[in-house]
Each structure stands twice: as C-alpha cells, then as structure tokens.
C-alpha cells in the first residue's frame, strides 16, 4: 500500500519516519531530521543501560533500588503511590517501560549514574538524539533544556535495530523489547491498532505485536515503536512539538491517521475484519 501524509497544522512541528522492517524501505517521512523534545521517549536509553548491566553482571535483577530525596517526583507512573517504593531493579525497569514511571526512572538513573546513561545514545552512533537528565518537577536554568530530545530518523532506526537484536547485543535488545511490550499508553498512533492496552505482550488484535514507547508533555506528543503483523512489519517514529497553546487534539488525530495506515499495511485487513489473535 501507499502511505499518505495527512494534512499537518503549521503551528505544530513534526518529525516522522516509517520504515519497512524487512526491506528498510522508507514508507513515509516528513522532516525526519528535525530535532524535537521527546519527553519520556529517551527513557529507552536508560532501559538499554539497565539491560546491559543485568547481562554483564554489574547489576542484579532482584537488587532493591534506592530513591534519594532530591530525585523524588510524581506525575507519570505509579511507583510514587506504592506503600514501599523500594522495588527490584528489573521491576523498576518494567515500570519505566509500562507506565513511563518517573520515580522509577530517577531511581535507575541514580543507580547507573547520569553521565553513564547520557553516554548511551552516543555509543549507539546517534548524533541528534539522547537522554539528558533526571525527571524534575521544576526545570531550573542550570538544568538541561529537556529530559530527552531526538529525531524521527534516529529513533525509528533505534527501534529497527532493537528488533534485529543489534542494540548492544541480542540479549539486551530482546530484554528492552520485552519490557516495552507492556507499555500501556496506546493513546497516540497505537490507538489505531485496536489492541488491548493492558494486555498485548503477545499477538493481539488481527495478529499484531507491538513494542513501543511514548512521550507526553504539555507541548509535545511522541510515539516510537515496532509493529509486526501477519503481512509485514514496520519501525516508526512520529513526534510533534508546538510552542503555545494545547494542540493535543489535532496532533493525536493526525497520529491516529498514521497509525491506521500502519495497521492496514502490517495486517492487510480492514479495520473490523477478523484476523488471527
């Protein structure tokens, strides 16, 4: 099928890239090198570092995380609501992937070291994409300008390389994708896939398997992932930033249009047509 770029509102800056997994054919792109704030998407690089340490033995999966008072945050996630937030390292990573958990993120960055986590993207060969900082309730002038930033070209490539087992090692790539399989935020592109948002680790609606990460702040929405279906597979990265106002409604509508094209491409099925689950 042929992908079509939906109309884009001029007050929203987009970076879009959709790539076929098996052929590397670019199915659709728009400003793929535009550098955007990517909100929580940069947490993927934290998950890469945690997985690497689990497999090289420098971290134990069952070790308990400590959360310094200066890095306690709420908002995104559920760990801040736990009676005992001192969860195991592997469980903290799962919370980051499944609920973009800010408190678990800060605990794991503190455990690994901020400079070490910052270095991950560069070690993967990325020039315009990275995780920069802890999650903070207030971002002061001395703090980095954003927790993470990136381009659709590089983020789509990260997801493609994870799918191929090329990020650090096959074991590390598989572990990161396994965590991302529990991402419960299907509010953006993934809304068009019609998956059970709380249960799609295995093949779900029309035989689709999704591994993705989203980012959301007042002035941005980002969804990056890998979707495989019975007909094809794609890696995608779709990000939107705006300067003023709240453009989430039109932005998410555009993302859902793109998601529907992706769904149709990987399944070959109409939206309500029965497929293998």
């Amino acid at each position: 099928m042929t992908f079509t770029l939906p109309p884009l509102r001029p007050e929203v800056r987009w970076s879009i890239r959709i790539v076929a997994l098996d052929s590397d054919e670019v199915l659709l792109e728009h400003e793929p090198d535009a550098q955007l704030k990517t909100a929580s998407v940069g947490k993927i690089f934290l998950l890469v570092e945690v997985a690497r340490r689990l497999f090289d033995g420098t971290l134990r999966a069952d070790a308990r995380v400590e959360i310094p008072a200066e890095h306690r945050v709420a908002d995104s996630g559920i760990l801040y609501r736990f009676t005992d937030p001192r969860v195991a390292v592997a469980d903290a990573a799962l919370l980051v992937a499944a609920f973009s958990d800010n408190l678990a993120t800060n605990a794991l960055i503190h455990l690994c070291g901020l400079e070490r986590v910052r270095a991950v993207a560069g070690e993967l060969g990325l020039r315009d994409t990275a995780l920069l900082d802890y999650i903070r309730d207030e971002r002061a002038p001395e703090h980095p300008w954003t927790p993470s930033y990136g381009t659709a070209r590089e983020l789509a490539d990260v997801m493609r390389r994870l799918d191929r087992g090329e990020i650090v090692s096959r074991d590390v790539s598989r572990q990161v994708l396994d965590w991302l399989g529990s991402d419960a935020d299907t509010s953006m592109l993934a809304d068009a896939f019609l998956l059970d948002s709380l249960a799609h680790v295995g093949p779900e609606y029309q035989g689709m398997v999704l591994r993705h990460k989203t980012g959301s702040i007042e002035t941005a929405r980002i969804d990056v992932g890998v979707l495989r279906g019975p007909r094809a597979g794609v890696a995608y990265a779709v990000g939107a930033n705006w300067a003023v106002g709240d453009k989430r409604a039109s932005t998410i509508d555009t993302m859902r249009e793109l998601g529907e094209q992706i769904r149709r491409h990987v399944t070959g099925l109409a939206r309500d047509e029965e497929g293998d689950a």
Side-chain angles (χ1 to χ4, degrees), residues 42-43 45-46 109 114 117-118 121 129-133 147-149:
K43 294 172 183 177
F45 304 115
L46 172 62
I109 292 176
L114 179 58
V117 176
R118 281 177 174 171
T129 302
L131 183 149
L132 290 179
D133 198 17
S148 75
Y149 65 92

Side-chain angles (χ1 to χ4, degrees), residues 172-233:
V172 167
S173 296
R174 285 177 175 171
Q175 179 61 78
V176 173
L177 288 176
D178 180 70
W179 285 329
L180 293 176
S182 292
D183 190 342
D185 182 12
T186 57
S187 66
M188 301 182 208
L189 266 81
D191 181 68
F193 307 153
L194 301 173
L195 303 175
D196 184 333
S197 59
L198 299 178
H200 56 263
V201 172
E204 223 267 308
Y205 187 65
Q206 296 182 333
M208 286 181 283
V209 177
L210 174 67
R211 301 290 183 263
H212 79 140
K213 182 75 187 77
T214 59
S216 177
I217 54 176
E218 290 182 357
T219 57
R221 291 293 186 276
I222 305 92
D223 193 338
V224 308
V226 170
L227 183 72
R228 286 195 175 273
R231 179 182 174 187

Side-chain angles (χ1 to χ4, degrees), residues 77-226:
I78 59 174
L79 184 58
Y80 74 98
R81 304 190 68 182
F82 279 25
T83 301
D84 184 355
R86 295 169 299 173
V87 298
V89 167
D91 293 334
L94 181 58
L95 286 170
V96 171
F99 298 108
S100 204
D101 198 291
N102 286 343
L103 189 56
T105 295
N106 282 359
L108 291 173
I109 292 176
H110 177 74
L111 181 64
C112 296
L114 179 58
E115 292 306 317
R116 173 86 284 279
V117 176
R118 281 177 174 171
V120 171
E123 291 170 356
L124 297 178
L126 309 181
R127 298 194 308 171
D128 300 307
T129 302
L131 183 149
L132 290 179
D133 198 17
Y134 290 97
I135 307 300
R136 301 179 187 273
D137 290 328
E138 299 290 339
R139 194 154 290 281
E142 64 269 22
H143 297 147
W145 62 288
T146 183
S148 75
Y149 65 92
T151 70
R153 184 188 303 277
E154 291 188 339
L155 287 166
D157 189 58
V158 167
M159 298 309 299
R160 180 189 63 83
R161 290 162 64 191
L162 281 169
D163 181 75
R164 293 184 175 181
E166 296 173 355
I167 297 293
V168 181
S169 70
R170 185 167 296 277
D171 285 338
V172 167
S173 296
R174 285 177 175 171
Q175 179 61 78
V176 173
L177 288 176
D178 180 70
W179 285 329
L180 293 176
S182 292
D183 190 342
D185 182 12
T186 57
S187 66
M188 301 182 208
L189 266 81
D191 181 68
F193 307 153
L194 301 173
L195 303 175
D196 184 333
S197 59
L198 299 178
H200 56 263
V201 172
E204 223 267 308
Y205 187 65
Q206 296 182 333
M208 286 181 283
V209 177
L210 174 67
R211 301 290 183 263
H212 79 140
K213 182 75 187 77
T214 59
S216 177
I217 54 176
E218 290 182 357
T219 57
R221 291 293 186 276
I222 305 92
D223 193 338
V224 308
V226 170

Side-chain angles (χ1 to χ4, degrees), residues 37 236 247 268:
K37 292 181 179 180
Y236 68 85
K247 305 298 189 294

